Amino acid sequence: METEVPAILRARETIAPERFTFHSSRMRMTHVTPEQLKAMDADSDRCAVELSDAHVDVLGYACLVAIMSMGLGYHRTSEQRLHLRTAENGAPAPVVTSAGALVHGLGTLGAKKIALIAPYMRPLTRTVVDYLTHEGIEVIDYTALEIPNNLDVAAHDPARLPGLARALDHSDADAVVLSACVQMPSLGAIEEAEQLLGKPVVSAAVCTAHQMLRALGLPAVAPGAGHLLSGAYAEAPPVAP
């Protein structure tokens, strides 16, 4: 989140007049386990209040699997609760979760069938698959890279991802999720993967940037971030909850 979303918005600054600042508050998590994810999510209220001290215009909640592991449809609960925290602090701001953004981004593309790559252990990856299935998105194939350490997730080489995506059963997929995790870098491989696969390719970070721009009321367009941010969906409203 702290690298790819700013990179997307900086790229947007080369073609549009708006300028952005970035502010972070951290929830602690070192190993991607259900226990640490639950403890991390419990800290999200504090982070929302801290960020609203800066009167930010939109908040992005970075951990996709933390949201999804809390129960089906939980991104709606989280977004509403954290928005309330900002309002209570006198600085109301919309909240975009990466989990909700992935659902909304795929909906914007009209993608009903997808294939995806996730860095998580297989049980947590199944949680992601079940969550998306509940949202009406069929996951026809997936790869779980089974990387337990969060820093190792960040160090995964994005150049490997197009090859991993090509190995998926993606022929009937409407879109491919190159990284179902904002911690695993993929931005530099999005357009290569689209050319390789011949279909839209997104990531949790790309979808988060798209939804944050739409929450700001700005055209969701940025060069180098794939079809979703190409301009084809620049004015698409966020998908209704």
Side-chain angles (χ1 to χ4, degrees), residues 10-11 15 22 34 39 45 56 67 69 78 80 151 155 167 169 178-179 191 202 214 225:
R10 290 292 182 231
I15 61 168
F22 307 98
D45 291 68
V56 296
I67 291 288
S69 66
S78 174
Q80 292 168 1
L151 292 178
D169 179 10
L178 202 61
S179 176
E191 294 197 335
V202 298
R214 295 311 299 132

PDB file of all heavy atoms in Angstrom, residues 10-11 15 22 34 39 45 56 67 69 78 80 151 155 167 169 178-179 191 202 214 225:
ATOM      1  N   ARG A  10       1.121   8.942  -8.289  1.00  0.00           N
ATOM      2  CA  ARG A  10       2.181   9.777  -8.860  1.00  0.00           C
ATOM      3  C   ARG A  10       2.156   9.680 -10.392  1.00  0.00           C
ATOM      4  O   ARG A  10       2.367  10.679 -11.094  1.00  0.00           O
ATOM      5  CB  ARG A  10       3.555   9.367  -8.332  1.00  0.00           C
ATOM      6  CG  ARG A  10       3.787   9.695  -6.868  1.00  0.00           C
ATOM      7  CD  ARG A  10       3.864  11.197  -6.616  1.00  0.00           C
ATOM      8  NE  ARG A  10       4.142  11.490  -5.213  1.00  0.00           N
ATOM      9  CZ  ARG A  10       3.447  12.326  -4.470  1.00  0.00           C
ATOM     10  NH1 ARG A  10       2.401  12.972  -4.987  1.00  0.00           N
ATOM     11  NH2 ARG A  10       3.767  12.554  -3.217  1.00  0.00           N
ATOM     12  N   ALA A  11       1.916   8.492 -10.915  1.00  0.00           N
ATOM     13  CA  ALA A  11       1.798   8.346 -12.369  1.00  0.00           C
ATOM     14  C   ALA A  11       0.617   9.156 -12.891  1.00  0.00           C
ATOM     15  O   ALA A  11       0.704   9.775 -13.964  1.00  0.00           O
ATOM     16  CB  ALA A  11       1.643   6.873 -12.740  1.00  0.00           C
ATOM     17  N   ILE A  15      -0.490  13.149 -15.879  1.00  0.00           N
ATOM     18  CA  ILE A  15      -1.516  13.379 -16.902  1.00  0.00           C
ATOM     19  C   ILE A  15      -2.717  14.156 -16.381  1.00  0.00           C
ATOM     20  O   ILE A  15      -3.632  14.458 -17.142  1.00  0.00           O
ATOM     21  CB  ILE A  15      -2.011  12.048 -17.501  1.00  0.00           C
ATOM     22  CG1 ILE A  15      -2.648  11.156 -16.413  1.00  0.00           C
ATOM     23  CG2 ILE A  15      -0.863  11.297 -18.194  1.00  0.00           C
ATOM     24  CD1 ILE A  15      -3.408   9.966 -16.948  1.00  0.00           C
ATOM     25  N   PHE A  22       0.483  11.526   1.169  1.00  0.00           N
ATOM     26  CA  PHE A  22       0.222  10.181   1.674  1.00  0.00           C
ATOM     27  C   PHE A  22       0.585  10.121   3.155  1.00  0.00           C
ATOM     28  O   PHE A  22       1.644  10.583   3.565  1.00  0.00           O
ATOM     29  CB  PHE A  22       1.041   9.159   0.880  1.00  0.00           C
ATOM     30  CG  PHE A  22       0.844   9.264  -0.597  1.00  0.00           C
ATOM     31  CD1 PHE A  22       1.756   9.947  -1.384  1.00  0.00           C
ATOM     32  CD2 PHE A  22      -0.276   8.713  -1.200  1.00  0.00           C
ATOM     33  CE1 PHE A  22       1.566  10.075  -2.751  1.00  0.00           C
ATOM     34  CE2 PHE A  22      -0.478   8.831  -2.569  1.00  0.00           C
ATOM     35  CZ  PHE A  22       0.442   9.514  -3.343  1.00  0.00           C
ATOM     36  N   PRO A  34      -4.332 -16.373  11.149  1.00  0.00           N
ATOM     37  CA  PRO A  34      -5.645 -15.868  11.564  1.00  0.00           C
ATOM     38  C   PRO A  34      -5.603 -15.092  12.876  1.00  0.00           C
ATOM     39  O   PRO A  34      -6.300 -14.085  13.024  1.00  0.00           O
ATOM     40  CB  PRO A  34      -6.489 -17.147  11.690  1.00  0.00           C
ATOM     41  CG  PRO A  34      -5.856 -18.110  10.729  1.00  0.00           C
ATOM     42  CD  PRO A  34      -4.379 -17.807  10.800  1.00  0.00           C
ATOM     43  N   ALA A  39      -6.039  -9.721  15.543  1.00  0.00           N
ATOM     44  CA  ALA A  39      -5.499  -8.696  16.438  1.00  0.00           C
ATOM     45  C   ALA A  39      -5.207  -7.419  15.667  1.00  0.00           C
ATOM     46  O   ALA A  39      -5.420  -6.303  16.169  1.00  0.00           O
ATOM     47  CB  ALA A  39      -4.226  -9.225  17.106  1.00  0.00           C
ATOM     48  N   ASP A  45      -9.448   0.806  14.317  1.00  0.00           N
ATOM     49  CA  ASP A  45     -10.137   2.006  14.797  1.00  0.00           C
ATOM     50  C   ASP A  45      -9.133   3.076  15.220  1.00  0.00           C
ATOM     51  O   ASP A  45      -9.300   4.263  14.908  1.00  0.00           O
ATOM     52  CB  ASP A  45     -11.063   1.656  15.965  1.00  0.00           C
ATOM     53  CG  ASP A  45     -12.240   0.811  15.533  1.00  0.00           C
ATOM     54  OD1 ASP A  45     -12.043  -0.354  15.148  1.00  0.00           O
ATOM     55  OD2 ASP A  45     -13.370   1.320  15.559  1.00  0.00           O
ATOM     56  N   VAL A  56      -7.425  13.852   6.408  1.00  0.00           N
ATOM     57  CA  VAL A  56      -7.245  13.258   5.082  1.00  0.00           C
ATOM     58  C   VAL A  56      -8.589  13.204   4.357  1.00  0.00           C
ATOM     59  O   VAL A  56      -9.654  13.226   4.982  1.00  0.00           O
ATOM     60  CB  VAL A  56      -6.638  11.845   5.188  1.00  0.00           C
ATOM     61  CG1 VAL A  56      -5.234  11.915   5.774  1.00  0.00           C
ATOM     62  CG2 VAL A  56      -7.516  10.916   6.035  1.00  0.00           C
ATOM     63  N   ILE A  67      -9.433  -8.359   6.452  1.00  0.00           N
ATOM     64  CA  ILE A  67     -10.867  -8.121   6.322  1.00  0.00           C
ATOM     65  C   ILE A  67     -11.593  -9.421   6.012  1.00  0.00           C
ATOM     66  O   ILE A  67     -12.592  -9.780   6.654  1.00  0.00           O
ATOM     67  CB  ILE A  67     -11.134  -7.077   5.215  1.00  0.00           C
ATOM     68  CG1 ILE A  67     -10.643  -5.701   5.646  1.00  0.00           C
ATOM     69  CG2 ILE A  67     -12.613  -7.046   4.836  1.00  0.00           C
ATOM     70  CD1 ILE A  67     -11.459  -5.033   6.704  1.00  0.00           C
ATOM     71  N   SER A  69     -10.829 -12.479   6.491  1.00  0.00           N
ATOM     72  CA  SER A  69     -10.794 -13.511   7.532  1.00  0.00           C
ATOM     73  C   SER A  69     -11.742 -13.205   8.686  1.00  0.00           C
ATOM     74  O   SER A  69     -11.978 -14.060   9.546  1.00  0.00           O
ATOM     75  CB  SER A  69      -9.368 -13.680   8.071  1.00  0.00           C
ATOM     76  OG  SER A  69      -8.940 -12.515   8.748  1.00  0.00           O
ATOM     77  N   SER A  78     -16.588  -2.950   8.208  1.00  0.00           N
ATOM     78  CA  SER A  78     -15.358  -2.229   8.510  1.00  0.00           C
ATOM     79  C   SER A  78     -15.396  -0.815   7.946  1.00  0.00           C
ATOM     80  O   SER A  78     -15.066   0.153   8.650  1.00  0.00           O
ATOM     81  CB  SER A  78     -14.163  -2.992   7.932  1.00  0.00           C
ATOM     82  OG  SER A  78     -12.964  -2.261   8.092  1.00  0.00           O
ATOM     83  N   GLN A  80     -17.938   1.080   7.164  1.00  0.00           N
ATOM     84  CA  GLN A  80     -18.913   1.925   7.860  1.00  0.00           C
ATOM     85  C   GLN A  80     -18.412   2.305   9.248  1.00  0.00           C
ATOM     86  O   GLN A  80     -18.536   3.460   9.676  1.00  0.00           O
ATOM     87  CB  GLN A  80     -20.260   1.189   7.949  1.00  0.00           C
ATOM     88  CG  GLN A  80     -20.941   1.007   6.597  1.00  0.00           C
ATOM     89  CD  GLN A  80     -22.111   0.040   6.653  1.00  0.00           C
ATOM     90  OE1 GLN A  80     -22.450  -0.500   7.714  1.00  0.00           O
ATOM     91  NE2 GLN A  80     -22.724  -0.205   5.512  1.00  0.00           N
ATOM     92  N   LEU A 151       7.226  -9.825   5.652  1.00  0.00           N
ATOM     93  CA  LEU A 151       8.321  -9.174   4.945  1.00  0.00           C
ATOM     94  C   LEU A 151       8.734  -9.968   3.712  1.00  0.00           C
ATOM     95  O   LEU A 151       9.107  -9.395   2.684  1.00  0.00           O
ATOM     96  CB  LEU A 151       9.517  -8.979   5.872  1.00  0.00           C
ATOM     97  CG  LEU A 151       9.327  -7.962   7.007  1.00  0.00           C
ATOM     98  CD1 LEU A 151      10.575  -7.893   7.881  1.00  0.00           C
ATOM     99  CD2 LEU A 151       8.988  -6.585   6.460  1.00  0.00           C
ATOM    100  N   ALA A 155       8.918  -9.015  -0.369  1.00  0.00           N
ATOM    101  CA  ALA A 155      10.149  -9.235  -1.127  1.00  0.00           C
ATOM    102  C   ALA A 155       9.950 -10.162  -2.319  1.00  0.00           C
ATOM    103  O   ALA A 155      10.889 -10.392  -3.091  1.00  0.00           O
ATOM    104  CB  ALA A 155      11.231  -9.810  -0.207  1.00  0.00           C
ATOM    105  N   ALA A 167       0.266 -19.985 -15.947  1.00  0.00           N
ATOM    106  CA  ALA A 167       0.099 -21.387 -15.560  1.00  0.00           C
ATOM    107  C   ALA A 167      -1.283 -21.683 -14.993  1.00  0.00           C
ATOM    108  O   ALA A 167      -1.674 -22.853 -14.878  1.00  0.00           O
ATOM    109  CB  ALA A 167       1.175 -21.777 -14.548  1.00  0.00           C
ATOM    110  N   ASP A 169      -5.411 -21.925 -14.859  1.00  0.00           N
ATOM    111  CA  ASP A 169      -6.483 -22.228 -15.816  1.00  0.00           C
ATOM    112  C   ASP A 169      -7.321 -20.961 -15.958  1.00  0.00           C
ATOM    113  O   ASP A 169      -8.281 -20.752 -15.216  1.00  0.00           O
ATOM    114  CB  ASP A 169      -7.322 -23.391 -15.301  1.00  0.00           C
ATOM    115  CG  ASP A 169      -8.475 -23.736 -16.238  1.00  0.00           C
ATOM    116  OD1 ASP A 169      -8.497 -23.202 -17.376  1.00  0.00           O
ATOM    117  OD2 ASP A 169      -9.350 -24.517 -15.837  1.00  0.00           O
ATOM    118  N   LEU A 178      -3.630 -10.570 -10.252  1.00  0.00           N
ATOM    119  CA  LEU A 178      -2.209 -10.907 -10.215  1.00  0.00           C
ATOM    120  C   LEU A 178      -1.671 -10.944  -8.793  1.00  0.00           C
ATOM    121  O   LEU A 178      -0.715 -11.659  -8.513  1.00  0.00           O
ATOM    122  CB  LEU A 178      -1.423  -9.904 -11.052  1.00  0.00           C
ATOM    123  CG  LEU A 178      -0.057 -10.336 -11.555  1.00  0.00           C
ATOM    124  CD1 LEU A 178      -0.160 -11.565 -12.459  1.00  0.00           C
ATOM    125  CD2 LEU A 178       0.641  -9.205 -12.296  1.00  0.00           C
ATOM    126  N   SER A 179      -2.272 -10.160  -7.901  1.00  0.00           N
ATOM    127  CA  SER A 179      -1.888 -10.172  -6.486  1.00  0.00           C
ATOM    128  C   SER A 179      -3.113  -9.848  -5.645  1.00  0.00           C
ATOM    129  O   SER A 179      -3.559  -8.703  -5.623  1.00  0.00           O
ATOM    130  CB  SER A 179      -0.773  -9.168  -6.194  1.00  0.00           C
ATOM    131  OG  SER A 179      -0.494  -9.130  -4.800  1.00  0.00           O
ATOM    132  N   GLU A 191       0.743  -4.783 -16.722  1.00  0.00           N
ATOM    133  CA  GLU A 191       0.522  -4.636 -18.158  1.00  0.00           C
ATOM    134  C   GLU A 191       1.206  -5.747 -18.950  1.00  0.00           C
ATOM    135  O   GLU A 191       0.676  -6.194 -19.979  1.00  0.00           O
ATOM    136  CB  GLU A 191       0.963  -3.247 -18.613  1.00  0.00           C
ATOM    137  CG  GLU A 191       0.085  -2.153 -18.015  1.00  0.00           C
ATOM    138  CD  GLU A 191       0.202  -0.820 -18.726  1.00  0.00           C
ATOM    139  OE1 GLU A 191       1.258  -0.562 -19.352  1.00  0.00           O
ATOM    140  OE2 GLU A 191      -0.770  -0.040 -18.651  1.00  0.00           O
ATOM    141  N   VAL A 202      -5.796  -7.299 -12.773  1.00  0.00           N
ATOM    142  CA  VAL A 202      -5.835  -6.325 -11.685  1.00  0.00           C
ATOM    143  C   VAL A 202      -5.054  -6.862 -10.502  1.00  0.00           C
ATOM    144  O   VAL A 202      -4.606  -8.004 -10.484  1.00  0.00           O
ATOM    145  CB  VAL A 202      -7.285  -6.009 -11.247  1.00  0.00           C
ATOM    146  CG1 VAL A 202      -8.082  -5.395 -12.381  1.00  0.00           C
ATOM    147  CG2 VAL A 202      -7.979  -7.256 -10.698  1.00  0.00           C
ATOM    148  N   ARG A 214     -12.313   7.207  -7.015  1.00  0.00           N
ATOM    149  CA  ARG A 214     -13.749   7.398  -7.193  1.00  0.00           C
ATOM    150  C   ARG A 214     -14.379   7.949  -5.910  1.00  0.00           C
ATOM    151  O   ARG A 214     -15.304   8.768  -5.964  1.00  0.00           O
ATOM    152  CB  ARG A 214     -14.425   6.089  -7.604  1.00  0.00           C
ATOM    153  CG  ARG A 214     -13.981   5.567  -8.962  1.00  0.00           C
ATOM    154  CD  ARG A 214     -14.030   6.637 -10.075  1.00  0.00           C
ATOM    155  NE  ARG A 214     -15.378   7.126 -10.275  1.00  0.00           N
ATOM    156  CZ  ARG A 214     -15.713   8.425 -10.351  1.00  0.00           C
ATOM    157  NH1 ARG A 214     -14.794   9.360 -10.237  1.00  0.00           N
ATOM    158  NH2 ARG A 214     -16.967   8.768 -10.538  1.00  0.00           N
ATOM    159  N   ALA A 225      -1.010   1.060 -15.131  1.00  0.00           N
ATOM    160  CA  ALA A 225      -1.648   0.261 -14.075  1.00  0.00           C
ATOM    161  C   ALA A 225      -2.718  -0.681 -14.615  1.00  0.00           C
ATOM    162  O   ALA A 225      -3.552  -1.167 -13.859  1.00  0.00           O
ATOM    163  CB  ALA A 225      -2.246   1.180 -13.013  1.00  0.00           C
TER     164      ALA A 225
END
